[in-house]
Amino acid sequence: MLVKYTVDSLDTANISHSVTLVPRLKYSLNLLDEIVSILDSKRNELRQSNENLVHDFDEFDKTHISAFHLEYLVVFSLDILSQVKNRTNLISNVGSIPELLPSTIPMIRMVSSQLFGIMPNCSQKLSEMSVHLGSIVLDSAALTTARFDFSLSNTESSILINEVKLMVNSKLSKQYPNLDFFKLCNT
């Protein structure tokens, strides 16, 4: 015996879109984990190298400054990506995506642009990740009829970036107490 049942085409579209969000989000998080792993290895390598360099540090030697600046960029990138990961871990349903992810995209793009010249592979993967997360945000907003305030998400990302800068300066100042990282990295 067949039961007559009609499925609204809008509901079908919503179901199919929400089902495709999960694999794209998982793929993006796998990319993030891969990038974090690469950056973590690079940070450890730079830390060892710079711990040896700190004893003979010459503030007028551009190679010395570049070495510490590179460590700063890698640590900063790792901390930004940690903030992104924390936000993605807060996603509990489709409705939370438009609230949590929009501010992460400018952060990811900023890290990607900073890594472009020194770690192009990571930069490319971050660009890919930002595209995927952007499409996830747009699709989730369509499903939940959410509205965006790009000004607010840009402000949120700027605040998070500034907080991370302070944390990184503090970390590296403790690691290398005789160096002024704020001065080194802003010259």
Side-chain angles (χ1 to χ4, degrees), residues 25-39 77-78 80-89 108 125-126 129 133:
L25 187 58
K26 283 185 180 179
Y27 177 75
S28 297
L29 294 177
N30 286 337
L31 272 177
L32 180 60
D33 288 340
E34 184 180 333
I35 295 161
V36 165
S37 177
I38 293 167
L39 288 172
S77 298
L78 274 168
I80 289 288
L81 296 178
S82 174
Q83 293 291 325
V84 170
K85 182 121 181 154
N86 290 343
R87 290 185 83 87
T88 59
N89 287 337
I108 293 167
K125 288 179 182 184
L126 286 167
M129 189 176 124
L133 290 180

Side-chain angles (χ1 to χ4, degrees), residues 25-94:
L25 187 58
K26 283 185 180 179
Y27 177 75
S28 297
L29 294 177
N30 286 337
L31 272 177
L32 180 60
D33 288 340
E34 184 180 333
I35 295 161
V36 165
S37 177
I38 293 167
L39 288 172
D40 195 40
S41 294
K42 185 69 171 176
R43 178 192 58 193
N44 292 336
E45 172 189 317
L46 290 168
R47 180 182 292 157
Q48 287 178 342
S49 172
N50 287 347
E51 282 177 355
N52 295 329
L53 182 62
V54 77
H55 302 295
D56 300 323
F57 182 72
D58 178 4
E59 67 182 80
F60 299 108
D61 187 337
K62 289 184 181 189
T63 58
H64 289 194
I65 293 172
S66 293
F68 285 103
H69 185 68
L70 182 57
E71 183 175 0
Y72 175 86
L73 284 177
V74 170
V75 172
F76 176 73
S77 298
L78 274 168
D79 283 7
I80 289 288
L81 296 178
S82 174
Q83 293 291 325
V84 170
K85 182 121 181 154
N86 290 343
R87 290 185 83 87
T88 59
N89 287 337
L90 295 173
I91 295 172
S92 59
N93 57 43
V94 175

Side-chain angles (χ1 to χ4, degrees), residues 141-157:
L143 291 170
T144 61
T145 64
R147 294 178 187 239
F148 293 111
D149 182 350
F150 290 108
S151 174
L152 180 62
S153 68
N154 286 338
T155 301
E156 284 177 21
S157 68

Side-chain angles (χ1 to χ4, degrees), residues 102-115:
S103 62
T104 64
I105 295 167
M107 295 165 62
I108 293 167
R109 289 182 177 156
M110 187 208 52
V111 170
S112 174
S113 69
Q114 287 187 337
L115 294 177

